Amino acid sequence: MKFIYHGLAACSLLLNACSNSDSDRGEIHVNFDHVIAGAELVPSEIRYTNAAGNEYAITRLEYIVSDIILETAAGKRVDLTEVHYRNALSNATRSLSAHIPGGEYSVLHFTFGIDGGKNETGALPSLEHFNNMAWPSPMGGGYHYMRMEGLFRIPDGEGSFLTHTGPSAGADFSFDVSLPLHLSVNGGSWGITVVMDINQWYDAPTVYDFNDRGSIMGNADAQFTLQENGTAAFSISHAGRHDHDAHEHEGEENHEETAGEEQNHEEHADD
Amino acid sequence: MKYWLLPLLLLGACSGGDKGTTPASPHNPTPYALDVPAGFPIPEIPADNPLTIEGIELGRLLFADPILSVDSTVACASCHLRESAFADARRFSKGVNGLTSRNSMPLFNLLWSPSFFWDGRSASLEDQAIHPVQNPIEMGEDWSTVTAKLTRHPTYPRLFAQAFGANKPIGQKLAVQAIAQFERTLVSADTKYDRWLAGTEEFTPEEERGFLLFHTEQADCFHCHVAPLFTDNQFHNNGLDLDPADPGLARQTEGRLDRGKFKTPSLRNIEYTAPYMHDGRFQTLQEVIEHYNSGFHRSNLTDPLMLIRPELNLNLKEKQSLISFLKTLSDPRFNRP
């Protein structure tokens, strides 16, 4: 199963060889952004409060989303990319890009993390950012879905929390997110911004208190809570013409990093 | 097909030949085909400084030659000793004008490092090599004087010409390129651990226990010392001091929480690189393990991965197992004089 990724990596090397060229094809850029309490994430300072009343700061937020697919109103699915790494503290891979056929798109689908069947040690290319997400084989193998870390106030100073989600003991805690949108593509350049509302991870249906949760990689109960809470963390804040301002945030570095991720879609009928 | 085959194929395609097959002529240096160990990331080699047999050889000579220092007493190799995985067994190294303020760093697998020095202040091996020459404590020399010395030297002009062509000026740029080429060939992956991964050698039960402690939340070393390089190439404060005397990464970023953050060292060849930490404060691996077990300081500067628990509570046997596992990361080629 892990060979799926291998095939695509080869495909991305031959970028153009894999694409066809209809005149209504458009270019799509999907951004992943992060907010808390309605405002853009500002890392490192304790300035946020979650549903449990923990006052906290984010010092690290990295995650993997996979099987990112756009679906048309008629139910045709277009693969954008198979796996995307995002680090909220750097703009290096803020956005992923792909070419898509013209049409009316109505849903964006992705898996938060990696589907259990594919999440094996060594399945992703040996790149530093993927390697740093490794979920060691003695803990079930594969990759972390997310490493969110930070500090929170405790009576005698600051404590830390590690919201590390992943395949605890090999169980699959990845989850699918489907976000409705409206996008009519007819040539041109298009943008979708997906927003993660960080406080949602700790809010509903189950309030998550940093005081009760330590290292959670081996804690299936905590993983289950986060899997349930996480779905509501995502929404779409923009779907329309590509917003060039948004693109300007990306540094030089970005080009290199995303080059390997600019993959061409493979169309397939819904089966 | 495995992933790592891809970069190998590509490298092969770009370097256009096996090592040593074409005879060297002054304008046509021999491409060096680098072996990328299984599972290692695709290395990035600057397009303007490809690896060549002649360039590497020149770099090896310059690295070992005190000609780069003001009084011809100190070479790169004086502080980066081959038998110590190119680190220094002394806590602080002796330069032309006193002692360094940090512990020397081992040199291997630097091909996969995006930044250099304990505080990451240099972004390439080429840039890094400029600094020790000019550093008043380390080599105290001026690059223009180095250039003059190399230009009138009996053999270097010929070696520079063979590596880079006769019409390129001898000087800092080519010298640091050659040194960087040499450093890029210092690849270390010939260890018991690598053979265990490949399934050709067994761990002892103790090494296996150590591997498990390292790679689970029990000792939780793997989040920072990430396989296969055993570093994440990032910066962390691992709780050495409540009030760090050396600002570390904060000297570059001025971030309040970056105080006392240092580059995560690889744990490969750790058996050969004592003393440990940026200031060489620990003489033995026992001391290092005890630091993580019970000795680290807790503050808002301490990495969240460590701050989360007061102690690891490892017993004597577990500590010994961790050390046994760390010793499976030794590559004996980096322990030879």
Side-chain angles (χ1 to χ4, degrees):
Chain A
M1 268 172 270
K2 65 183 178 188
F3 294 107
I4 289 178
Y5 293 122
H6 294 180
L8 258 200
C11 180
S12 69
L13 289 173
L14 308 168
L15 220 55
N16 297 318
C18 301
S19 64
N20 48 28
S21 50
D22 307 333
S23 61
D24 61 349
R25 285 165 63 74
E27 199 187 346
I28 183 92
H29 305 273
V30 184
N31 291 339
F32 287 84
D33 286 351
H34 313 91
V35 302
I36 307 186
E40 194 180 326
L41 168 66
V42 179
S44 299
E45 301 291 337
I46 292 191
R47 51 163 77 204
Y48 301 118
T49 307
N50 65 16
N54 307 136
E55 293 170 54
Y56 72 102
I58 299 286
T59 56
R60 176 190 294 273
L61 173 52
E62 299 174 89
Y63 55 93
I64 292 175
V65 287
S66 62
D67 294 327
I68 305 175
I69 293 167
L70 267 178
E71 185 175 335
T72 67
K76 194 174 77 171
R77 292 159 78 92
V78 176
D79 293 347
L80 302 188
T81 193
E82 286 218 280
V83 59
H84 183 70
Y85 162 87
R86 178 74 170 103
N87 181 348
L89 275 61
S90 128
N91 274 324
T93 58
R94 176 170 183 241
S95 161
L96 68 92
S97 311
H99 290 98
I100 54 170
E104 299 284 322
Y105 290 95
S106 60
V107 194
L108 178 76
H109 300 278
F110 60 86
T111 300
F112 188 79
I114 304 173
D115 180 73
K118 300 178 195 168
N119 196 10
E120 294 169 21
T121 295
L124 299 181
S126 183
L127 294 171
E128 184 170 276
H129 57 239
F130 289 141
N131 292 344
N132 285 349
M133 295 294 278
W135 190 274
S137 48
M139 304 201 70
Y143 297 85
H144 286 78
Y145 313 144
M146 173 165 76
R147 288 178 64 177
M148 174 144 60
E149 301 173 4
L151 300 170
F152 72 108
R153 261 192 245 293
I154 53 174
D156 56 347
E158 278 140 336
S160 69
F161 64 91
L162 308 174
T163 309
H164 286 199
T165 71
S168 198
D172 186 2
F173 291 104
S174 70
F175 56 85
D176 295 336
V177 178
S178 295
L179 301 171
L181 49 78
H182 188 81
L183 202 60
S184 340
V185 172
N186 184 359
S189 188
W190 303 87
I192 298 174
T193 299
V194 178
V195 175
M196 177 200 285
D197 183 341
I198 291 168
N199 260 340
Q200 291 292 334
W201 287 100
Y202 306 121
D203 190 346
T206 308
V207 172
Y208 185 108
D209 187 333
F210 298 147
N211 291 293
D212 309 333
R213 308 286 196 179
S215 293
I216 59 156
M217 289 176 71
N219 182 340
D221 188 47
Q223 297 291 343
F224 182 69
T225 296
L226 290 161
Q227 183 187 35
E228 279 202 322
N229 288 1
T231 317
F234 296 93
S235 61
I236 285 179
S237 70
H238 167 82
R241 286 275 171 202
H242 183 42
D243 165 8
H244 279 276
D245 285 349
H247 220 62
E248 269 163 21
H249 289 291
E250 302 161 17
E252 267 294 288
E253 215 187 337
N254 185 32
H255 278 279
E256 255 181 72
E257 291 261 351
T258 48
E261 306 209 17
E262 170 136 357
Q263 289 161 354
N264 291 276
H265 69 281
E266 282 164 23
E267 286 168 67
H268 53 82
D270 225 352
D271 45 0
Chain B
M1 163 140 130
K2 286 207 175 129
Y3 251 117
W4 58 269
L5 283 177
L6 273 173
L8 276 187
L9 292 173
L10 288 176
L11 274 178
C14 304
S15 62
D18 287 328
K19 37 182 139 173
T21 49
T22 357
S25 81
H27 303 285
N28 186 22
T30 322
Y32 176 86
L34 189 81
D35 280 330
V36 179
F40 275 45
I42 302 165
E44 280 175 36
I45 294 173
D48 66 350
N49 192 22
L51 298 183
T52 67
I53 304 274
E54 293 80 359
I56 293 161
E57 188 51 31
L58 174 60
R60 184 193 320 279
L61 292 172
L62 290 171
F63 186 85
D65 198 332
I67 195 173
L68 298 183
S69 66
V70 67
D71 56 4
S72 293
T73 58
V74 174
C76 307
S78 309
C79 306
H80 298 283
L81 285 85
R82 205 177 182 83
E83 68 267 28
S84 301
F86 295 93
D88 193 340
R90 296 165 297 184
R91 179 168 183 187
F92 300 113
S93 305
K94 199 170 164 337
V96 293
N97 188 23
L99 297 178
T100 59
S101 56
R102 289 180 180 156
N103 187 226
S104 177
M105 302 175 83
L107 309 180
F108 58 81
N109 297 345
L110 294 181
L111 209 54
W112 292 281
S113 183
S115 65
F116 303 92
F117 289 124
W118 281 107
D119 51 18
R121 66 184 180 277
S122 177
S124 71
L125 282 171
E126 284 81 356
D127 173 72
Q128 192 286 327
I130 296 172
H131 301 287
V133 172
Q134 302 169 335
N135 183 309
I137 289 172
E138 296 185 348
M139 302 174 103
E141 186 57 298
D142 204 295
W143 271 103
S144 59
T145 316
V146 172
T147 302
K149 287 192 277 185
L150 292 173
T151 308
R152 62 169 186 262
H153 191 273
T155 51
Y156 276 119
R158 181 172 51 82
L159 298 174
F160 273 88
Q162 285 173 352
F164 298 107
N167 48 12
K168 294 243 192 82
I170 293 177
Q172 174 189 302
K173 179 163 187 248
L174 298 186
V176 300
Q177 285 195 330
I179 291 172
Q181 286 189 40
F182 164 64
E183 290 173 314
R184 290 194 175 98
T185 63
L186 302 174
V187 174
S188 179
D190 190 4
T191 70
K192 182 168 190 180
Y193 165 78
D194 295 286
R195 290 189 292 278
W196 172 79
L197 259 192
T200 57
E201 198 172 331
E202 296 283 302
F203 273 164
T204 65
E206 193 177 67
E207 289 163 350
E208 172 99 33
R209 267 199 305 280
F211 169 82
L212 292 175
L213 287 165
F214 189 99
H215 284 102
T216 57
E217 287 176 300
Q218 213 181 335
D220 201 356
C221 313
F222 70 88
H223 275 115
C224 300
H225 298 286
V226 182
L229 297 166
F230 288 88
T231 171
D232 57 359
N233 281 322
Q234 294 181 8
F235 298 83
H236 301 272
N237 180 321
N238 66 347
L240 291 171
D241 299 294
L242 264 187
D243 186 11
D246 185 334
L249 181 65
R251 194 186 281 166
Q252 316 317 310
T253 61
E254 288 170 12
R256 200 173 53 83
L257 292 180
D258 288 340
R259 273 175 60 224
K261 281 190 186 174
F262 293 90
K263 182 177 169 183
T264 309
S266 171
L267 298 185
R268 287 181 177 274
N269 298 312
I270 196 71
E271 190 181 358
Y272 310 141
T273 63
Y276 302 111
M277 305 299 169
H278 68 275
D279 55 4
R281 69 176 65 190
F282 298 131
Q283 288 298 326
T284 63
L285 287 174
Q286 278 77 5
E287 287 171 73
V288 172
I289 301 295
E290 206 45 59
H291 165 75
Y292 286 108
N293 189 49
S294 64
F296 66 89
H297 291 283
R298 301 161 54 75
S299 76
N300 62 350
L301 298 179
T302 314
D303 197 282
L305 287 159
M306 295 176 63
L307 188 58
I308 197 135
R309 60 191 138 201
E311 302 217 333
L312 292 179
N313 274 319
L314 301 175
N315 63 35
L316 195 65
K317 211 171 143 192
E318 289 168 328
K319 292 181 217 170
Q320 199 48 51
S321 307
L322 262 180
I323 293 175
S324 298
F325 167 66
L326 292 179
K327 289 185 176 170
T328 70
L329 300 173
S330 299
D331 180 341
R333 292 174 309 146
F334 285 80
N335 188 31
R336 285 186 200 138

